[in-house]
Amino acid sequence: MSEKISSKDNHLVKKMTKLMNSPKARAESGLFAAEGIRLCRDAVLSGAGIRCFFYTETAAVRHPAEKAEIEVAAENSFEISEEVCRKIADTQTPQGFFCMIEQGQMRLSDPLRKGCRYAALERIQDPSNLGTILRTAEALGVDGILLSADCCDIYSPKVVRGSMGAVFRLPFMICDDFTAYIRQCGQCGIQTYASTPRDAEDLQQCDFSNGGIMLIGNEGNGLCEETLNVCTHRVRIPMKGRAESLNASAAAAILMFQLMCG
Amino acid sequence: MSEKISSKDNHLVKKMTKLMNSPKARAESGLFAAEGIRLCRDAVLSGAGIRCFFYTETAAVRHPAEKAEIEVAAENSFEISEEVCRKIADTQTPQGFFCMIEQGQMRLSDPLRKGCRYAALERIQDPSNLGTILRTAEALGVDGILLSADCCDIYSPKVVRGSMGAVFRLPFMICDDFTAYIRQCGQCGIQTYASTPRDAEDLQQCDFSNGGIMLIGNEGNGLCEETLNVCTHRVRIPMKGRAESLNASAAAAILMFQLMCG
């Protein structure tokens, strides 16, 4: 029998709430929170270190097999009251399963490998965009993701959820000096493709047969000038419509598809 | 001087609130509501029929040029109180500009034209997906959009906003019998491409030089069997990652890009 937590003042409940809401708490602890049956199972299947598993009685009764499976993988398991569940939850209608998980299992190996295909994201700000980009990258078979340190937190609940668990499976790396890292990759013979509407080659004309890194910039401003200048190539998505830029996750889908299949 | 509305019980305020919240009210009246400076300006620039323009004093003071421009185009203009603004608004932090607009200005001409490129959406349920797909379609220069009658309402505030105004500029048509219409297009010599993971040609191998219609199905279930069976071609996005489907708007971005540029 696992211990039951009914108080919102329990220290683990407070810790989970912080992990849900505070990027700082996540960075300092090296932990993050996942919510929902599917994500908690994804954590188990990917071999992530699960410090704690929390479940409501209702959820346990409804999903006994999943509950048992997660319980076996988790270091500790706790039944929680509905009130505690609502306190922790980031969603409106929580399913009643939560995990406290160790970060950093899927680090991208450095240096990058020639011939592989990567996406690099500079200052993506919207967690929905980041989540969708990770999901798309995984589906298309991208080998790994580079993130500038000023992207939104990859471990935020919205990103984790929007990624459909890709955050557990897709190797990634957060670059403290993004521009310098991209420059260095170029110097080592890895092709680096800046996506930008100006002075660029049409995407479908590019040869991606040697692999490389596709760079995708901030939602409003694109890639910064310094980063643009260190890339070995510039590519653009041909736009025939109004001078309206694509949504970042739609642009990323097209760019990564061409990198993988073009 | 325009009339000032301070009461939430005013009949126009009630009507706008209904247009924001009720697909039925929109269908019965043939009107819809747009919120925000940019969308209200887009309505003006696209020549939409603007029945009423509502603005708060604060918004009018902050954006006098835009206010004047919309006022000239609108049949009637009304200053509204902050309380009325909050009542009408669909967003958390409204900008204080609203328009009541006539539907159906951008109808797609029937029959479709050979050599042109269209996207056809079957039962897309999420307004964010539909909005993003319209925005992407416009940016890529798609000639028009077909929607099955059971797609979410193209005039819902979330779709209008997510489309970045594409709903004012992109020709579209809602098909009462979607499958029959697609069959008929095929019989008339228009290529119809069903996107589906099963028994399909890889997207990048397809020849889209004669144009045609790219069909995109429901978020969870894809295209229905009947529609799949009437299409002249089946195409798939090659997925190398986990058997995890792409988000509908990411898939649509890739599919429409190949249709336009592939």
Side-chain angles (χ1 to χ4, degrees):
Chain A
M1 272 301 284
S2 62
E3 194 186 327
K4 173 155 182 175
I5 303 177
S6 308
S7 165
K8 292 198 286 183
D9 294 328
N10 177 288
H11 75 284
L12 286 173
V13 173
K14 286 186 171 171
K15 190 166 175 180
M16 274 297 273
T17 312
K18 276 196 183 158
L19 292 176
M20 283 287 187
N21 298 308
S22 157
K24 187 160 166 267
R26 291 191 288 268
E28 287 175 355
S29 64
L31 298 168
F32 69 108
E35 174 178 350
I37 296 163
R38 185 189 170 127
L39 281 178
C40 290
R41 281 203 69 217
D42 279 355
V44 173
L45 293 173
S46 69
I50 304 176
R51 289 275 182 89
C52 301
F53 168 41
F54 305 89
Y55 59 88
T56 61
E57 194 188 344
T58 319
V61 169
R62 258 188 222 155
H63 308 279
E66 291 83 352
K67 184 226 163 196
E69 183 185 24
I70 304 167
E71 207 163 20
V72 166
E75 287 177 35
N76 300 287
S77 296
F78 304 92
E79 187 183 318
I80 53 173
S81 66
E82 295 293 339
E83 193 191 3
V84 167
C85 170
R86 283 190 299 274
K87 165 86 176 162
I88 300 178
D90 185 64
T91 59
Q92 294 289 329
T93 48
Q95 296 179 313
F97 277 21
F98 303 87
C99 284
M100 184 189 291
I101 303 172
E102 292 165 14
Q103 293 181 12
Q105 185 213 3
M106 291 303 292
R107 302 298 291 185
L108 186 60
S109 65
D110 181 23
L112 302 184
R113 298 213 316 268
K114 281 187 200 176
C116 284
R117 291 169 163 80
Y118 305 94
L121 312 177
E122 185 177 70
R123 213 156 72 81
I124 293 291
Q125 293 294 288
D126 176 0
S128 306
N129 281 337
L130 182 53
T132 303
I133 293 173
L134 296 174
R135 179 180 173 185
T136 306
E138 184 186 28
L140 294 174
V142 167
D143 294 300
I145 301 281
L146 309 168
L147 299 136
S148 70
D150 52 1
C151 277
C152 63
D153 185 5
I154 193 168
Y155 291 114
S156 87
K158 265 200 176 170
V159 176
V160 174
R161 220 162 42 235
S163 82
M164 299 290 271
V167 78
F168 295 122
R169 296 177 297 264
L170 192 63
F172 67 90
M173 177 199 294
I174 295 164
C175 304
D176 287 329
D177 192 336
F178 185 79
T179 306
Y181 194 85
I182 296 299
R183 182 196 294 115
Q184 194 191 314
C185 289
Q187 288 166 346
C188 296
I190 294 173
Q191 309 299 312
T192 54
Y193 298 91
S195 56
T196 173
R198 290 159 295 153
D199 307 325
E201 195 179 354
D202 276 355
L203 185 61
Q204 69 276 32
Q205 314 299 341
C206 290
D207 172 20
F208 296 111
S209 54
N210 292 320
I213 307 173
M214 179 64 74
L215 282 90
I216 296 152
N218 171 263
E219 286 92 343
N221 306 308
L223 291 164
C224 74
E225 208 57 39
E226 292 74 26
T227 303
L228 275 175
N229 289 337
V230 301
C231 286
T232 60
H233 300 74
R234 294 184 181 207
V235 298
R236 63 185 286 274
I237 299 173
M239 307 237 202
K240 299 174 190 165
R242 235 170 92 107
E244 197 69 76
S245 72
L246 290 165
N247 160 303
S249 58
I254 294 169
L255 292 162
M256 292 190 291
F257 172 76
Q258 282 296 113
L259 174 68
M260 301 310 292
C261 304
Chain B
M1 272 300 284
S2 63
E3 194 186 328
K4 173 155 182 176
I5 303 176
S6 308
S7 165
K8 292 197 285 183
D9 294 327
N10 176 288
H11 75 284
L12 287 173
V13 173
K14 286 186 171 174
K15 190 166 175 180
M16 274 297 273
T17 311
K18 276 197 183 157
L19 292 176
M20 283 287 185
N21 298 308
S22 157
K24 189 161 165 265
R26 292 191 289 267
E28 287 175 357
S29 64
L31 298 168
F32 68 107
E35 174 178 349
I37 296 162
R38 185 187 170 129
L39 281 178
C40 290
R41 282 203 68 217
D42 279 355
V44 172
L45 292 173
S46 69
I50 303 176
R51 289 274 182 89
C52 300
F53 168 42
F54 305 90
Y55 58 89
T56 61
E57 194 187 343
T58 318
V61 169
R62 257 188 224 155
H63 307 281
E66 290 83 353
K67 184 225 163 197
E69 183 185 23
I70 304 166
E71 207 163 21
V72 166
E75 287 177 35
N76 300 287
S77 295
F78 304 92
E79 187 182 320
I80 54 173
S81 65
E82 295 293 338
E83 194 191 3
V84 166
C85 170
R86 282 190 299 273
K87 165 88 176 158
I88 299 177
D90 185 63
T91 60
Q92 293 289 330
T93 49
Q95 296 179 312
F97 277 21
F98 303 88
C99 284
M100 185 190 290
I101 303 172
E102 291 164 14
Q103 293 180 12
Q105 185 213 4
M106 292 303 292
R107 302 296 290 184
L108 186 61
S109 64
D110 181 22
L112 302 184
R113 298 212 315 269
K114 281 186 203 178
C116 284
R117 290 169 164 81
Y118 305 93
L121 313 177
E122 184 176 71
R123 213 157 72 80
I124 293 291
Q125 293 295 287
D126 176 359
S128 306
N129 281 338
L130 182 53
T132 303
I133 293 172
L134 296 174
R135 178 181 173 184
T136 305
E138 183 185 30
L140 294 175
V142 168
D143 293 301
I145 301 281
L146 308 168
L147 299 135
S148 70
D150 53 0
C151 276
C152 63
D153 185 6
I154 193 168
Y155 291 115
S156 86
K158 264 200 175 170
V159 176
V160 174
R161 220 162 41 235
S163 83
M164 299 291 271
V167 78
F168 295 122
R169 297 177 296 264
L170 191 62
F172 67 89
M173 176 198 296
I174 296 164
C175 304
D176 286 329
D177 191 338
F178 184 79
T179 306
Y181 194 85
I182 296 299
R183 183 197 293 114
Q184 194 190 315
C185 289
Q187 288 165 347
C188 297
I190 295 173
Q191 308 300 311
T192 54
Y193 299 91
S195 56
T196 173
R198 289 159 297 150
D199 306 325
E201 194 180 354
D202 275 356
L203 183 62
Q204 69 276 30
Q205 313 299 339
C206 290
D207 172 21
F208 296 111
S209 54
N210 292 320
I213 307 174
M214 179 64 74
L215 282 90
I216 296 151
N218 170 262
E219 287 92 343
N221 306 307
L223 292 164
C224 74
E225 208 56 38
E226 292 74 26
T227 302
L228 274 175
N229 289 335
V230 302
C231 287
T232 61
H233 300 74
R234 294 184 180 205
V235 298
R236 63 185 286 275
I237 299 173
M239 306 237 202
K240 300 175 191 165
R242 236 169 92 106
E244 197 68 77
S245 72
L246 291 164
N247 160 303
S249 58
I254 293 169
L255 292 162
M256 292 191 291
F257 172 76
Q258 282 297 113
L259 174 68
M260 302 311 292
C261 304

